[in-house]
Amino acid sequence: MWLASSRGNGACDKGGLRHSCPRSGGRLAAEVDKTGTPLAPSTVLAAACPARTMRLLSGTGLVQCGLLLLLFQALCTLGLAPQARAPDLHPLCLALSLVPPLAGHLCRTRPTDLVFVVDSSRSVRPVEFEKVKVFLSQVIESLDVGPNATQVGVVNYASAVKQEFPLRAHGSKAALLRAVRRIQPLSTGTMTGLAIQFAINKAFSDAEGGRARSPDISKVAIVVTDGRPQDSVRDVSARARASGVELFAIGVGRVDKATLQQIASEPQEEHVDYVESYSVIEKLSKKFQEAFCVVSDLCATGDHDCEQVCLSSPGSYTCACREGFTLNSDGKTCNVCNGRGGSSATDLVFLIDGSKSVRPENFELVKKFINQIVDTLDVSDKLAQVGLVQYSSSVRQEFPLGRFHTKKDIKAAVRNMSYMEKGTMTGAALKYLIDNSFTVSSGARPGAQKVGIVFTDGRSQDYINDAAKKAKDLGFKMFAVGVGNAVEDELREIASEPVAEHYFYTADFKTINQIGKRLQKKICVEEDPCACESIVKFQTRVEGLLQALTRKLEAVSQRLAVLENRVV
């Protein structure tokens, strides 16, 4: 294996044999700088060690050397790699930062000039400002950073405006992350309009690294604020949008929501976000990771409706089924082992949060989410039955198990469900599920698998632990789905084991259809070997391979530390 050094040579090591390597990292970085051409991972590996050494690194040794490069890339990203003479970047970090994503990397981000405009007024406590920095870092982690890719700048403001670093300052992700960690709050007033004006006049200017307007380059500003501004934002935001800057507005806590609307670009529902506190702001990072993602392979990203097999084509896809399954008329779902013994019975009850924080427009998205899952079920007296319960400050059964015998009737009843509003009594809803929904008098069938799907968007106003535990103790298969301000500890408390496979979270109601796709594959009846046996075997094998890989990575990490000590 090979480790670059800022002094002397690196070393390739296999089975105790050490071979001298030139300082390829620095030479490689320089060549990349000159040509501007991204290098394949194999090129980095080949440049890191000469050909005679590569011949020795066959089989396991080559895999280990590749793993070392992956570990080194992780250190680069975290800013923990050994430093070369240039203070910002180790030469191998620079080379690795220009390597395109490996096959299977889900998306690339289009070239963007991105400026964060961050409120650090006195109402933002230091611990809360640290949460904002975590949010910035998580968004940056998902970007393709570079002078020909995405550039990032940060404007910090309170009563005055401070440019923390311009677009041209940092050409690598590692350097950006270090710069974000160094930002300190200003702790005075809230001049949001002044900060947006600064972004237009200076942050996006040519002198600060801003690139000329082009269909190929986006200009984006993300404004984060937690209060009412002490100046006007309407006119200056309009000028920013007119100049071609796409404006996102994130409000926290007691922010003036009208201000967010005045700042944001259209459509507002995609450009305005609100969270109740800074403790959950980092949950929005996933939304922006998706917003900056340019997708060419919809199958690779999971952005499709195929139940089993997705066949990709440029900008589109078609669905297919595995052997022994047939594609349904919707062109997306598959009949599970149709005509080969049938599926086991499942009683499925949705437990839906109808509290006022959901809002009417989002409640309509929740109903679509329910029907998305219903579409994939084999609904009949002998197979799947569906019940629906809505809760807020009280609990209301919309319809019990077995009332409707076709997908069409179930989906119509879901669409006709009215919105309750009021509070969030998740504990009472879970107790209702146990005491009523899964009883024989409510249509439940003895011996049928009992599946509960709990959907919520906020913290429960009552105690959930006892009811959540009892549901699982009774053998119910419980899934927890959270959106927005949902508390992930509560979702984990509700979810069956293994918890990671039974709870789901997204920051935005508009993306719950993605959870629906994943959830469809989880509602699987273990008693039906045709539907599940091969999946269980595959999962067990994958878990074993992952555990083995984890042990190997730990060993490689230890070896990396030894090599680092030798080089230094």
Side-chain angles (χ1 to χ4, degrees), residues 29-57:
E31 290 174 358
V32 170
D33 273 347
K34 289 175 185 175
T35 65
T37 304
L39 297 175
S42 57
T43 307
V44 175
L45 188 59
C49 294
R52 59 187 174 83
T53 305
M54 289 297 293
R55 286 194 293 272
L56 292 171
L57 290 175

Side-chain angles (χ1 to χ4, degrees), residues 110-309:
R110 66 174 298 175
T112 302
D113 286 349
L114 170 61
V115 175
F116 291 97
V117 181
V118 181
D119 178 356
S120 67
S121 56
R122 65 174 62 90
S123 60
V124 185
R125 294 177 296 176
V127 67
E128 294 173 332
F129 194 70
E130 291 303 309
K131 296 286 187 182
V132 177
K133 289 159 61 175
V134 170
F135 164 71
L136 266 59
S137 297
Q138 288 178 340
V139 175
I140 290 168
E141 284 279 11
S142 69
L143 303 174
D144 295 320
V145 174
N148 297 316
T150 294
Q151 301 182 135
V152 180
V154 174
V155 172
N156 186 5
Y157 78 94
S159 295
V161 180
K162 177 184 179 184
Q163 181 166 250
E164 295 291 345
F165 51 85
L167 291 167
R168 58 177 164 75
H170 302 296
S172 74
K173 197 176 298 185
L176 278 172
L177 295 174
R178 287 198 299 272
V180 168
R181 288 197 294 268
R182 291 193 292 265
I183 299 174
Q184 296 298 317
L186 301 176
S187 301
T188 49
T190 310
M191 300 294 286
T192 308
L194 182 66
I196 296 172
Q197 183 67 56
F198 182 93
I200 302 171
N201 293 346
K202 189 170 179 67
F204 284 110
S205 68
D206 295 346
E208 300 303 312
R211 291 169 286 190
R213 286 184 61 177
S214 161
D216 299 324
I217 297 175
S218 301
K219 291 185 178 294
V220 177
I222 300 176
V223 181
V224 183
T225 182
D226 81 331
R228 185 183 296 274
Q230 296 170 323
D231 57 356
S232 173
V233 300
R234 185 190 299 274
D235 292 343
V236 70
S237 298
R239 288 197 297 274
R241 296 191 298 267
S243 71
V245 176
E246 184 178 10
L247 285 171
F248 290 86
I250 298 175
V252 183
R254 300 177 65 181
V255 69
D256 176 39
K257 294 183 181 178
T259 297
L260 303 180
Q261 294 168 345
Q262 291 172 15
I263 293 171
S265 296
E266 295 287 348
Q268 296 241 319
E269 60 268 20
E270 295 179 10
H271 290 83
V272 175
D273 288 283
Y274 170 78
V275 291
E276 290 182 346
S277 69
Y278 281 102
S279 62
V280 294
I281 189 172
E282 59 195 79
K283 293 181 179 180
L284 290 176
S285 60
K286 188 175 188 298
K287 169 191 171 172
F288 287 96
Q289 290 165 359
E290 293 170 350
F292 291 123
C293 179
V294 176
V295 178
S296 58
D297 187 344
L298 298 176
C299 292
T301 64
D303 191 19
H304 60 82
D305 296 319
C306 299
E307 182 182 11
Q308 291 188 0
V309 179

Side-chain angles (χ1 to χ4, degrees), residues 25 44 61 94 96 101 137 163 201 210 240 253 283 300 397 406 459 488 512 531 534 539 544 555-556:
V44 175
L94 178 56
L96 287 169
S137 297
Q163 181 166 250
N201 293 346
K283 293 181 179 180
Q397 179 173 257
T406 67
R459 183 183 295 276
E488 294 193 57
I512 59 175
S534 60
Q539 179 179 328
V556 172

Side-chain angles (χ1 to χ4, degrees), residues 45 83-84 107 111 118 168 183 190 225 229 237 291 297 324 338 351 359 381 403 453 464 467 503 559:
L45 188 59
Q83 296 299 294
C107 71
V118 181
R168 58 177 164 75
I183 299 174
T190 310
T225 182
S237 298
D297 187 344
N338 192 27
L351 207 59
R359 302 204 303 255
D381 293 338
R403 173 171 293 178
I453 299 178
I464 70 164
Y503 100 95
R559 183 61 179 165

